[in-house]
């Protein structure tokens, strides 16, 4: 993927169902995946395709601030993405979890395996490590 590349994908009926945008942030060594809408079993494919296009050895930061809903299929896709990237030496972090999505991550215990930041600004600033998550990939 070229540094200036921006890829947008939408799925489902109507433009508001689900979309993922890929935004490289080269100065931060990060690829940002911006999720908008509802992530469920019918909409996970564009997310997985975006993950597969990202360099697995880097950092993928998932901006969840526009994510209104996430079911177990969406959660499973994010967990699979994390394992894929972790095995290659990279990491997947989350930012901007809204209360309904954050609650699902919390009650399933999945919040504890990701670094979770309150906002994109916090995640990109390099300050702190976010909350929760495994820190075994710190270098």
């Amino acid at each position: 993927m070229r540094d200036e590349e921006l890829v947008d994908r939408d799925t489902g009926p109507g433009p508001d169902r689900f979309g993922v945008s890929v935004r490289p942030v080269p100065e931060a060594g990060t690829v940002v995946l911006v999720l908008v809408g509802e992530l469920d079993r019918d909409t996970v494919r564009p997310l997985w395709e975006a993950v597969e296009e990202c360099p697995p050895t880097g950092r993928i930061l998932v901006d969840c601030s526009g994510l209104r809903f996430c079911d177990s299929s969406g959660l499973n896709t994010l967990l699979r993405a994390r394992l894929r990237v972790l095995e290659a030496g990279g990491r997947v972090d989350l930012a901007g979890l809204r209360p309904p999505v954050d609650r699902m991550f919390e009650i399933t215990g999945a919040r504890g395996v990701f670094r979770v930041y309150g906002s994109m600004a916090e995640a990109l600033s390099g300050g702190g490590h976010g909350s929760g998550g495994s820190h075994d990939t710190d270098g």
Side-chain angles (χ1 to χ4, degrees):
M1 175 181 322
R2 295 189 329 252
D3 287 347
E4 67 276 0
E5 188 173 356
L6 173 64
V7 179
D8 291 316
R9 292 180 176 80
D10 292 315
T11 187
D16 295 326
R17 180 75 168 115
F18 179 75
V20 57
S21 299
V22 180
R23 298 192 174 129
V25 183
E27 61 276 8
T30 298
V31 174
V32 176
L33 300 182
V34 181
L35 309 185
V36 177
E38 299 177 4
L39 182 59
D40 58 32
R41 72 179 186 96
D42 295 326
T43 63
V44 295
R45 187 175 186 160
L47 172 58
W48 186 251
E49 290 171 352
V51 167
E52 288 184 317
E53 290 178 13
C54 294
T57 56
R59 178 186 188 210
I60 297 175
L61 177 57
V62 183
D63 179 357
C64 299
S65 61
L67 193 60
R68 295 185 309 268
F69 174 80
C70 180
D71 75 357
S72 60
S73 298
L75 173 62
N76 188 39
T77 300
L78 289 168
L79 289 168
R80 282 181 43 223
R82 178 188 169 273
L83 287 176
R84 176 184 182 271
V85 172
L86 190 63
E87 288 173 357
R91 72 182 212 231
V92 175
D93 298 340
L94 307 176
L97 290 173
R98 294 168 75 167
V101 176
D102 190 31
R103 176 150 170 73
M104 196 264 302
F105 273 74
E106 186 66 39
I107 62 175
T108 61
R111 195 179 204 284
V113 302
F114 290 97
R115 288 186 181 133
V116 180
Y117 296 88
S119 69
M120 286 298 294
E122 179 186 335
L124 290 171
S125 74
H129 291 290
S131 65
S134 171
H135 296 279
D136 59 351
T137 58
D138 284 352

